[in-house]
């Protein structure tokens, strides 16, 4: 069997990241926080090569949505479904907002640069209402995703393993199913904290018998 190894030390390797550490139930991994890239479920509406075109598209979407919010105020979701304007992209979360009578407003500060695909940057309207899932990206790049960080991106789907270092937010399909490992994380006030665990640092210090090793050294080593 050519796919078996006589010397497999996989189980002895240090964990880069795991859910127990992310949830605060353990400290035994190098990174505390990790996240998938942004899922918009309406790429054609909230991404664009042109900032001006993106503003026009998002404003149109919001105008149509708000008109339906007026039109269907007080109705149940079942009554709303057949009567909404399908010239825009609806998703479950947006329909829930409509049922609640919530209104949207445009904010130009939410337009940011992002990594859409390898070697392709696009403007993104980073809105929690119009992005279906932002995951932990506000903790990696700040609430409005405008704070710079150092991030390792890698593909978690299939055997085509790819890596990419970046400083800006990325789409879920940037490298396949894109997973992000940041050097830092930010709280709601925008204060920066280290994302490498003390446990992870200690593993390297003990192994190499070198107290000058820093958490940033470990990030670049990874």
């Amino acid at each position: 069997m050519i796919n078996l190894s006589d010397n497999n030390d996989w189980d002895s390797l240090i964990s880069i990241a795991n859910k127990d550490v992310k949830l605060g139930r353990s400290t035994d991994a190098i990174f505390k926080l990790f996240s998938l890239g942004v899922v918009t479920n309406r790429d054609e509406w909230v991404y664009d090569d042109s900032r001006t075109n993106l503003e026009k598209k998002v404003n149109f979407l919001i105008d149509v949505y708000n008109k339906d919010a007026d039109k269907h105020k007080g109705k149940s979701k079942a009554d709303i479904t057949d009567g909404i304007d399908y010239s825009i992209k609806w998703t479950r979360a947006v329909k829930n907002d409509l049922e609640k009578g919530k209104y949207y407003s445009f904010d130009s500060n939410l337009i940011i640069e992002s990594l859409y695909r390898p070697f392709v940057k696009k403007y993104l309207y980073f809105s929690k209402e119009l992005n279906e899932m932002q995951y932990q990206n506000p903790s990696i790049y700040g609430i409005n995703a405008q704070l710079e960080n150092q991030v390792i991106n890698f593909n978690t789907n299939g055997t085509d393993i790819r890596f990419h270092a970046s400083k800006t937010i990325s789409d879920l399909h940037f490298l396949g199913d894109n997973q992000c490992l940041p050097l830092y994380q930010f709280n709601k006030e925008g204060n920066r904290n280290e994302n490498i665990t003390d446990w992870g640092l200690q593993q390297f210090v003990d192994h190499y018998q070198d107290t000058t090793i820093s958490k940033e050294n470990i990030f670049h080593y990874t």
Side-chain angles (χ1 to χ4, degrees):
M1 296 289 289
I2 63 173
N3 63 339
L4 296 180
S5 171
D6 292 332
N7 183 22
N8 189 341
D9 62 352
W10 179 261
D11 290 336
S12 69
L13 300 179
I14 296 174
S15 175
I16 293 177
N18 64 58
K19 289 183 179 179
D20 284 339
V21 174
K22 185 177 183 179
L23 294 172
R25 296 195 294 243
S26 172
T27 59
D28 298 356
I30 295 175
F31 291 86
K32 301 174 191 173
L33 179 72
F34 57 95
S35 177
L36 291 169
V38 179
V39 176
T40 75
N41 279 4
R42 52 177 58 80
D43 285 11
E44 69 273 24
W45 289 100
V46 296
Y47 278 112
D48 205 286
D49 298 325
S50 163
R51 184 186 183 95
T52 301
N53 286 343
L54 182 56
E55 287 186 7
K56 290 178 180 177
K57 289 194 300 187
V58 173
N59 272 301
F60 177 82
L61 189 158
I62 290 173
D63 286 344
V64 170
Y65 169 86
N66 285 339
K67 286 176 182 176
D68 269 350
D70 281 332
K71 179 180 176 183
H72 299 291
K73 197 169 186 177
K75 294 182 182 179
S76 68
K77 191 184 299 184
D79 294 332
I80 289 171
T81 300
D82 293 332
I84 56 179
D85 186 342
Y86 281 100
S87 64
I88 63 173
K89 174 66 180 294
W90 294 87
T91 54
R92 181 173 56 184
V94 174
K95 287 181 179 178
N96 287 340
D97 284 345
L98 185 67
E99 184 184 16
K100 295 172 185 174
K102 183 176 181 178
Y103 289 88
Y104 293 165
S105 59
F106 177 76
D107 184 351
S108 61
N109 292 319
L110 299 183
I111 295 180
I112 60 172
E113 287 191 339
S114 69
L115 296 169
Y116 186 62
R117 297 291 184 271
F119 309 108
V120 177
K121 280 189 174 182
K122 288 194 176 190
Y123 288 102
L124 165 66
Y125 190 68
F126 189 68
S127 158
K128 62 182 179 181
E129 288 86 11
L130 298 181
N131 303 153
E132 196 72 0
M133 296 295 293
Q134 293 186 339
Y135 295 112
Q136 298 297 319
N137 285 286
S139 296
I140 296 176
Y141 301 100
I143 296 299
N144 293 336
Q146 296 184 5
L147 300 177
E148 189 174 284
N149 204 342
Q150 296 186 60
V151 176
I152 300 168
N153 300 281
F154 63 97
N155 174 29
T156 61
N157 184 23
T159 57
D160 182 16
I161 305 300
R162 288 172 285 173
F163 296 87
H164 185 283
S166 70
K167 295 183 178 181
T168 53
I169 198 167
S170 59
D171 183 76
L172 172 67
H173 298 304
F174 172 55
L175 293 177
D177 283 352
N178 194 57
Q179 192 73 249
C180 310
L181 296 170
L183 175 59
Y184 302 109
Q185 56 177 289
F186 296 90
N187 62 22
K188 292 181 180 179
E189 290 72 40
N191 299 315
R192 191 177 78 176
N193 299 297
E194 293 173 325
N195 192 45
I196 303 292
T197 65
D198 293 337
W199 179 90
L201 174 61
Q202 195 61 49
Q203 306 312 301
F204 281 82
V205 169
D206 291 346
H207 180 79
Y208 291 104
Q209 294 295 298
D210 185 352
T211 58
T212 67
I213 294 173
S214 70
K215 291 184 177 181
E216 187 167 357
N217 292 151
I218 294 171
F219 174 84
H220 292 295
Y221 174 91
T222 303

